[in-house]
Amino acid sequence: MTVAGIITAIVIGAIVGMLGRLVLPGRQPIGVLLTVGVGILAALLGTALAQEVGVSVTDGVDWIELAFQIGLAAVGVGLVSAVRGGRSRSGRY
């Protein structure tokens, strides 16, 4: 993977992760790096899932693939938020 590919994955992951957080109600107690990580994973899994169900590649924005990615990001952010359970950085509850 090239440097441009890595940077693109980070940018797409950040966008997908933030959109995933946006569709969830309430506040999620996770940081930006976790959001980007969940977004990158959701983007990769969403692309694979879209290809598996037969969504073809288009010249423009593939809205169905993007919907898969955002949906998976929302699930991922929700799972990470539930696991973290609102822990604070200071260690107090």
Side-chain angles (χ1 to χ4, degrees):
M1 183 175 262
T2 65
V3 173
I6 293 170
I7 293 171
T8 302
I10 292 170
V11 170
I12 296 297
I15 293 169
V16 168
M18 293 297 175
L19 289 172
R21 279 183 82 157
L22 186 65
V23 299
L24 284 178
R27 184 178 166 137
Q28 296 81 33
I30 65 173
V32 174
L33 291 179
L34 271 175
T35 302
V36 171
V38 168
I40 291 170
L41 186 61
L44 293 172
L45 291 175
T47 300
L49 182 63
Q51 290 174 354
E52 189 66 31
V53 297
V55 175
S56 62
V57 178
T58 61
D59 288 337
V61 175
D62 195 347
W63 295 106
I64 297 171
E65 182 179 333
L66 185 61
F68 283 143
Q69 292 171 340
I70 294 171
L72 288 171
V75 169
V77 167
L79 288 173
V80 170
S81 295
V83 168
R84 290 186 55 91
R87 292 184 214 160
S88 65
R89 286 189 153 173
S90 64
R92 289 189 252 155
Y93 293 98

